[in-house]
Amino acid sequence: MNLDFSFLGPDVVANFILKGLAFSAQLTLIATLGGILLGTLLALMRLSGNQWLAAVAAAYVNTLRSIPLVMVILWFFLLIPLIIGRTMGAELSAIITFTVFEAAYFSEIMRAGIQSVPKGQVNAGYALGLTYPQCMQLIVLPQAFRNMLPVLLTQTIVLFQDTSLVYAIGAYDLLKGFEVAGKNFNRPIETYLVAAGVYFAICFSLSLLVRQLQKKIRIIR
Amino acid sequence: MNNTWQWQIFLKDNGGGQTYLNWLMSAWGWTLSVALCAWVVALLLGSLVGVLRTTPSKWLTLCGDIWTEVFRNVPLLVQIFLWYFVVPAVFPLFSRVPSFVLVVLALGFFTSARIAEQVKAGIQALPAGQRMAGLAMGLTLPQTYRYILLPVAFRIVIPPLTSEAMNIIKNSSVAFAVSISELTMFAMQAQEETSRGVEIYLAVTGLYFISAFAINRAAIFVEHRVQVPGMAGAGK
């Protein structure tokens, strides 16, 4: 067996790979920001003390966390067109799916983060006359974010790896880019090897960064 | 949305001499077989790697660390493609191995990195005196692991291993990519053939729920059976 990587020139990378990487990055970014936003809301609902709000949030989180992501991707790809009455591109469908799905995981992280803030902080806020939204926004959430930053970033790395699963609905992501290039040049083995290398390089360097950050935060505390 | 439910779709013949219900059940069987076999691979490899990462030897620790980083930082789908396309090309012996085995190995190796992490954490959670006491008593290092460290460490890691076992059921869905006829593959094909996606997906999702729930119950049972009163990892 002889491997030949020579076909992976600059124009092939630009035409096939970067296009896919751009979508994977976009999907990761939007789903992370949207997921944290929605997840924080769910965490606040769960800790609100109102049992109906808490039950709705718990049902949302537990349901999504017990279904395989591939099935969730398929569900949304099937249901969104049925609900809005027209078809939707795989890429947009993937973005909606990942935001909704990751919110369930981010919400569990944010819940732990909010609970990691000492109760005295909340009481002090109320004693100063802050309202609930003010107390959350000014005192609890900034500390919760800070405490949970390494975990949130680790989840983002997992999210980036999971974006490869949009394969199920044929969206054009990083993996798809490699696959199409491999098919075009009849070099599937080389492209899958390079794909694995690229994913590893990205995820491993991000996880090293997270570890650095973890150390830094620990010293400041 | 859809006008009416059509659950009778499951009694229809799929053109291959079996009803969709039969097909669904055999797909469930494939999902459980993939998950179970991969779990055995992952548990054996993961425990071994986890132990290596806590040994005093720098080289063994490094090997374990590299193993964990490699299998944790490449997406499962890419790993499955590597096993399916690259491994048989590099090792011709693997070209005769059925794709079921390749998927089991892919999922098993992928999960082993996560289990190694848990096992390592479990061993490190034990007081350092346990290891020293074992060695001071004249036990060899393997004996210290076998009789002193691992029995307690495994009890500590049962809860995180349970969630890994539930993850492996969920992750087995990625096997659709190499046409293993498990639940997700069934869902995609049956949806295409019948256009009754909602009924099909509901049934498949329900079966994933049941599988995960059963594992959860089984793990609680095991946890109660093996707990040693008054020892680390016993009860609440």
Side-chain angles (χ1 to χ4, degrees), chain A residues 65-66 75 105 161 164 211, chain B residues 69 72 77 89 170 205 209:
Chain A
R65 274 164 41 106
S66 43
W75 263 118
Y105 286 81
Q161 290 191 21
S164 59
R211 246 172 267 176
Chain B
E69 293 301 339
R72 226 177 29 167
L77 184 56
K170 288 194 278 170
T205 308
F209 263 123

Side-chain angles (χ1 to χ4, degrees), chain A residues 1 65-68 70-71 74-75 78 83 105 161 164-165 167-168 175 189 192 196 199-200 203-204 211, chain B residues 1 69-70 72-75 77 81-82 85 89 170 173-174 176 184 188 191 197-198 201-202 205 208-209:
Chain A
M1 183 187 97
R65 274 164 41 106
S66 43
I67 307 176
V70 185
M71 276 313 294
L74 292 175
W75 263 118
L78 176 81
I83 293 169
Y105 286 81
Q161 290 191 21
S164 59
L165 295 178
Y167 184 85
L175 179 59
I189 295 168
Y192 284 128
Y199 272 107
F200 178 80
C203 296
F204 185 59
R211 246 172 267 176
Chain B
M1 296 243 351
E69 293 301 339
V70 166
R72 226 177 29 167
N73 283 314
V74 177
L77 184 56
F81 284 148
L82 287 183
F85 294 106
K170 288 194 278 170
S173 63
V174 181
F176 81 88
T184 303
M188 295 170 92
Q191 192 266 335
V198 176
Y201 285 8
L202 270 178
T205 308
Y208 274 120
F209 263 123

Side-chain angles (χ1 to χ4, degrees), chain A residues 30 49 135 142 145 153 174 193-194 203:
Chain A
I30 297 178
C135 194
F145 269 119
L153 289 175
L174 180 58
L193 274 175
V194 177
C203 296

Side-chain angles (χ1 to χ4, degrees), chain B residues 56-71:
Chain B
S57 157
K58 227 174 22 184
W59 292 109
L60 290 181
T61 312
L62 184 68
C63 287
D65 287 350
I66 291 175
W67 177 282
T68 313
E69 293 301 339
V70 166
F71 287 102

Side-chain angles (χ1 to χ4, degrees), chain B residues 46 50 53 68-69 72 112-122:
Chain B
R53 295 176 72 194
T68 313
E69 293 301 339
R72 226 177 29 167
S112 79
R114 282 133 211 277
I115 292 183
E117 196 83 322
Q118 309 293 1
V119 170
K120 177 189 161 192

